Amino acid sequence: MQISNAQSRAIAHGNGPAMVLAGPGSGKTLVITQRTRYLIEERHVKPQEILVITFTKAAAQEMRQRFCAICKSPGVTFGTFHAVFFGILKHAYRLTSANILTEDAKYQILRQLLQKMLSELQTEAQDEKELLSELVSEISLVKNEQINLANYYSRSCPEDVFRQLYQQYEAIHRAKGMLDFDDMLVCTYELLTARQDILEVWQRRFRYILVDEFQDINLLQYKILRMLAKPEDNLFIVGDDDQSIYRFRGAKPEIMLNFSKDYPDAKRILLDQNYRSVAPVIEGALKVIGENEHRYAKKIRDVRGEGQKIDIQELDSQEHESLYLVKCIHESVKKGVPYSEIAVLFRTNQGVGPFAERLMEFNLPFEMHDALPNIYEHWIARDIFAYLHLAREGLDRTEFLQVMNRPKRYISRDCINAKRLSFEELRIYYEEKEWMLDRIDRMETDLKLLARMTPYAAINYIRRGIGYEEYVTEYAKARRMKPEELTDLLDEIQQGAKPYMTCEEWFAHIEEYKEALEEKRSKREEKKDAIMLATLHGSKGLEFQEVFLVDVNEGVIPHRKAVLEADLEEERRLFYVGMTRAKDRLHIFYTRQRYGKAAEPSQFLDILLKSQRQ
């Protein structure tokens, strides 16, 4: 690829700080590798004095390979923040890999602590896996943001529970002499702050620091980076503030936006040519992201020239949307687009299911960039299945225990001993408690009614007649979730059951879907000609000839959790990332209704729809 004037200026930057604003498809990897070569061959910098930092191990390996292809000088350090900082700790404390707490071990400690605490509180977590994942993220956030634990308010559980869990977790793994990945940053910061002599050693070692994907940096990483770069401040950062989409991990776009304040003499270079996408995609994406207030204004020029305009379609429902998606894919393949050059992008993993089922129905090959969750394995789905099984097959002990108090009926586990039980046995146990007999009678009646219903009608009755939806709503509030996060999932399960007249037919379909998913999971490593299904987060760094953004409705993108202006700006950046994955053609679909309820197109489409009408 021919090097542009902007790329040349970035590559040949001399000493001191520099910020390279590199939009999608602008050749940032080329700039970093060529600058590294330039420093060695033209500036005669020792390779050992150059540090190139990336955010993933895969990116570091790719960067190293690209560099080795153009320069044979060994000694440059390519690594992630964690790898580089652990190297510093190793030298100071004689640590080995045995001192690193694996993610599995971390989850195991937290799982045991959580189960013990919930037992003491006489409560339960239906979604233990999700809750643990959220707790891990929050622990990471507290450490990386250096937040005083007393001032932190958990997003996923009561404050006292979180603080107790955090303190016990820290005590356990520290007592074993173990560091988790976040501790590598915390301990490096503490070491370099306390020991000026050690800091100076590493400042002399890494005189030139280059950072890729700088928009993803968190506060602690930035503080350490600034310390290491002194006194020469040869800090060369490359990134795109418009693609900062990891605030939930502690990444702060404000750090990049304030870089010029921290380094007033920093040179700013905009890589203003997009080599990836045709003009309509670039122009549309810039219109959308231009609505964000807190960003660097950029004019990006297309290199590839004109192409087809962005295809924005309103569909009646998700059913029509998925059918129309299949129709479009068939047409594209007929025109010669390989399956592997087609991507279908979603806001969250939860939205993938109906489209994956539709692609399977039409035997269209697809693979998943992210692990695709099976909605039918969710605890809510398992509760629905338990009710349906109890209605049709009698009172199995395990399934009865699962739902007997969902909603709350105050039935005690002590009354259930046999593998199979009867309502008569329950009545005998509670014969002196008339109010309990009423509840048992009502549950028996409910199950008899369910046994005669279609799956769709049965789920509706479980939700509204039995009161399960109210239970789910209360659970969501206790978990500090928006109730819609769970009721939408109920909607999707119910909608999926609609085509089937009997539970046997529906369960057979669910089993087929499960087997197909398992097969795809087991073959994830195989390279094949297949459509890519990915979340917007998972699509970052990828590119395809044709991209479909689906479910672009209010409440989906932007996500209903996005309330503050900073949240909305991040959601807009996420949408921008999705749009800019497209090289030749971009499709955007939204629906008039979702699960039988009226739906609105995303506010992010306003400017695109307005420009199309003009």
Side-chain angles (χ1 to χ4, degrees):
M1 183 168 75
Q2 188 176 358
I3 295 175
S4 70
N5 290 335
Q7 289 172 332
S8 295
R9 290 199 310 277
I11 291 165
H13 169 68
N15 291 339
M19 174 171 61
V20 179
L21 296 171
S26 61
K28 65 183 178 61
T29 303
L30 177 142
V31 165
I32 292 173
T33 52
Q34 287 287 352
R35 171 162 175 76
T36 306
R37 180 200 61 77
Y38 170 84
L39 287 172
I40 295 166
E41 295 182 359
E42 304 296 330
R43 293 258 171 180
H44 307 296
V45 175
K46 295 175 183 175
Q48 293 80 3
E49 294 178 340
I50 301 173
L51 170 63
V52 180
I53 297 181
T54 64
F55 276 82
T56 66
K57 189 185 285 186
Q61 289 171 345
E62 182 193 351
M63 200 76 77
R64 184 184 290 109
Q65 289 167 358
R66 296 271 289 269
F67 170 73
C68 290
I70 60 171
C71 183
K72 303 304 177 189
S73 299
V76 177
T77 299
F78 292 88
T80 63
F81 278 104
H82 289 100
V84 172
F85 295 167
F86 186 65
I88 292 173
L89 295 175
K90 264 199 318 190
H91 281 83
Y93 300 122
R94 301 287 184 262
L95 300 178
T96 68
S97 58
N99 295 106
I100 299 176
L101 187 73
T102 65
E103 286 298 288
D104 286 345
K106 182 180 191 173
Y107 271 87
Q108 189 175 353
I109 293 170
L110 287 168
R111 185 177 292 108
Q112 290 171 350
L113 288 172
L114 182 63
Q115 288 173 348
K116 181 173 179 287
M117 290 176 67
L118 291 175
S119 175
E120 290 170 356
L121 293 167
Q122 294 187 321
T123 186
E124 58 182 337
Q126 275 68 275
D127 55 346
E128 183 187 90
K129 187 177 178 182
E130 289 90 341
L131 177 54
L132 279 171
S133 178
E134 288 174 24
L135 289 170
V136 166
S137 293
E138 291 196 67
I139 288 169
S140 182
L141 193 66
V142 168
K143 291 185 179 185
N144 286 297
E145 293 290 299
Q146 298 179 300
I147 299 170
N148 185 327
L149 189 61
N151 299 331
Y152 181 73
Y153 295 90
S154 174
R155 300 188 302 261
S156 53
C157 65
E159 278 69 52
D160 55 340
V161 173
F162 178 79
R163 288 167 191 160
Q164 188 180 340
L165 195 79
Y166 182 98
Q167 289 165 340
Q168 290 180 1
Y169 164 71
E170 286 292 279
I172 288 171
H173 78 80
R174 289 294 180 96
K176 296 178 179 178
M178 307 288 281
L179 300 176
D180 66 19
F181 283 95
D182 301 306
D183 292 331
M184 292 183 200
L185 274 62
V186 173
C187 293
T188 301
Y189 177 75
E190 290 172 350
L191 171 68
L192 299 182
T193 303
R195 293 287 302 274
Q196 182 67 26
D197 55 332
I198 293 176
L199 174 59
E200 288 174 1
V201 168
W202 291 102
Q203 287 171 337
R204 288 193 296 271
R205 168 71 193 277
F206 297 133
R207 291 182 52 233
Y208 290 83
I209 301 175
L210 296 83
V211 187
D212 187 24
E213 302 285 12
F214 187 80
Q215 74 278 350
D216 295 335
I217 201 166
N218 68 40
L219 186 62
L220 197 51
Q221 289 165 338
Y222 185 51
K223 283 182 174 181
I224 299 169
L225 203 59
R226 293 196 70 188
M227 292 165 68
L228 286 174
K230 290 186 180 304
E232 297 179 76
D233 286 336
N234 292 322
L235 186 55
F236 184 88
I237 67 163
V238 182
D240 181 7
D241 56 300
D242 289 332
Q243 294 188 75
S244 180
I245 58 172
Y246 296 113
R247 233 159 53 98
F248 64 94
R249 290 184 193 165
K252 286 185 171 289
E254 297 90 341
I255 294 173
M256 190 165 191
L257 291 171
N258 291 328
F259 188 79
S260 297
K261 293 179 184 175
D262 294 333
Y263 296 95
D265 298 330
K267 188 185 227 179
R268 189 195 300 183
I269 302 162
L270 170 65
L271 302 186
D272 59 350
Q273 291 183 308
N274 182 309
Y275 297 89
R276 175 188 299 158
S277 306
V278 293
V281 171
I282 297 169
E283 290 163 7
L286 287 174
K287 281 176 185 171
V288 169
I289 201 63
E291 297 288 290
N292 272 5
E293 285 186 30
H294 305 289
R295 62 183 291 265
Y296 288 114
K298 306 174 191 72
K299 288 185 179 178
I300 306 295
R301 295 182 292 128
D302 63 273
V303 173
R304 295 185 54 212
E306 286 301 316
Q308 290 179 287
K309 70 176 186 178
I310 297 173
D311 169 39
I312 302 176
Q313 295 289 339
E314 179 187 71
L315 288 310
D316 185 58
S317 65
Q318 279 185 299
E319 183 181 4
H320 290 104
E321 185 183 25
S322 60
L323 285 168
Y324 188 70
L325 171 71
V326 168
K327 177 176 175 285
C328 291
I329 289 172
H330 278 312
E331 289 175 356
S332 296
V333 171
K334 278 182 187 175
K335 292 175 185 173
V337 180
Y339 287 120
S340 60
E341 282 292 335
I342 298 172
V344 184
L345 306 183
F346 312 83
R347 171 60 182 87
T348 67
N349 261 335
Q350 190 175 311
V352 183
F355 297 93
E357 289 191 60
R358 187 70 77 189
L359 294 180
M360 286 180 188
E361 181 187 336
F362 283 86
N363 293 315
L364 287 169
F366 70 89
E367 61 178 327
M368 301 160 296
H369 183 269
D370 317 271
L372 174 58
N374 183 351
I375 190 174
Y376 301 118
E377 292 172 352
H378 194 278
W379 64 270
I380 285 179
R382 293 199 304 270
D383 283 355
I384 298 293
F385 299 156
Y387 267 114
L388 295 177
H389 289 151
L390 291 170
R392 293 162 56 254
E393 299 166 13
L395 303 190
D396 172 80
R397 180 180 187 275
T398 302
E399 292 187 312
F400 187 80
L401 283 170
Q402 185 176 328
V403 297
M404 67 183 185
N405 286 315
R406 300 180 185 179
K408 199 74 175 168
R409 298 183 179 93
Y410 300 96
I411 300 173
S412 169
R413 296 176 74 95
D414 297 338
C415 71
I416 302 160
N417 296 312
K419 286 187 177 179
R420 297 188 74 78
L421 57 150
S422 69
F423 280 107
E424 275 311 308
E425 290 167 350
L426 289 173
R427 289 189 183 95
I428 292 168
Y429 185 88
Y430 284 109
E431 61 185 345
E432 295 179 1
K433 297 179 180 178
E434 197 170 326
W435 68 91
M436 286 302 299
L437 293 176
D438 289 343
R439 290 184 177 124
I440 291 165
D441 289 346
R442 175 66 191 271
M443 187 175 185
E444 183 178 27
T445 302
D446 286 337
L447 291 178
K448 284 179 180 176
L449 287 170
L450 286 178
R452 299 196 294 267
M453 295 179 182
T454 64
Y456 182 85
I459 295 170
N460 196 53
Y461 186 77
I462 291 167
R463 293 176 71 171
R464 296 173 177 92
I466 291 176
Y468 184 76
E469 183 151 344
E470 189 176 337
Y471 161 77
V472 162
T473 301
E474 288 173 2
Y475 180 78
K477 288 175 182 173
R479 278 277 282 106
R480 302 191 173 184
M481 303 165 71
K482 284 188 178 292
E484 295 89 346
E485 291 179 57
L486 298 182
T487 55
D488 277 3
L489 200 135
L490 269 168
D491 286 337
E492 188 179 330
I493 294 167
Q494 188 174 346
Q495 192 70 29
K498 200 168 189 176
Y500 305 95
M501 297 309 297
T502 67
C503 286
E504 285 77 14
E505 289 175 17
W506 189 42
F507 289 155
H509 163 74
I510 289 168
E511 194 57 36
E512 286 174 17
Y513 180 61
K514 179 183 175 183
E515 288 172 5
L517 277 188
E518 288 300 328
E519 184 182 353
K520 292 198 175 293
R521 286 169 181 164
S522 65
K523 294 180 177 179
R524 278 188 75 186
E525 299 305 313
E526 293 181 16
K527 296 290 181 185
K528 56 188 176 185
D529 187 25
I531 300 157
M532 176 63 77
L533 299 186
T535 62
L536 292 173
H537 279 104
S539 72
K540 191 162 178 287
L542 305 177
E543 56 181 45
F544 305 89
Q545 282 183 38
E546 199 150 358
V547 168
F548 294 85
L549 298 179
V550 296
D551 288 344
V552 186
N553 285 86
E554 279 294 302
V556 180
I557 177 75
H559 197 279
R560 61 171 56 89
K561 280 184 178 179
V563 178
L564 303 175
E565 186 58 34
D567 298 326
L568 279 172
E569 292 216 345
E570 174 131 350
E571 291 286 309
R572 194 177 278 110
R573 291 193 295 269
L574 192 55
F575 187 54
Y576 172 77
V577 165
M579 293 180 74
T580 54
R581 300 310 95 198
K583 294 191 286 187
D584 298 339
R585 191 85 202 273
L586 174 62
H587 307 262
I588 300 174
F589 298 165
Y590 65 93
T591 58
R592 279 191 289 270
Q593 57 176 314
R594 286 174 62 78
Y595 310 121
K597 303 167 194 166
E600 295 293 326
S602 168
Q603 60 186 276
F604 299 158
L605 295 182
D606 289 350
I607 193 164
L608 295 177
L609 292 169
K610 183 179 177 183
S611 65
Q612 283 195 358
R613 288 192 291 266
Q614 289 174 346

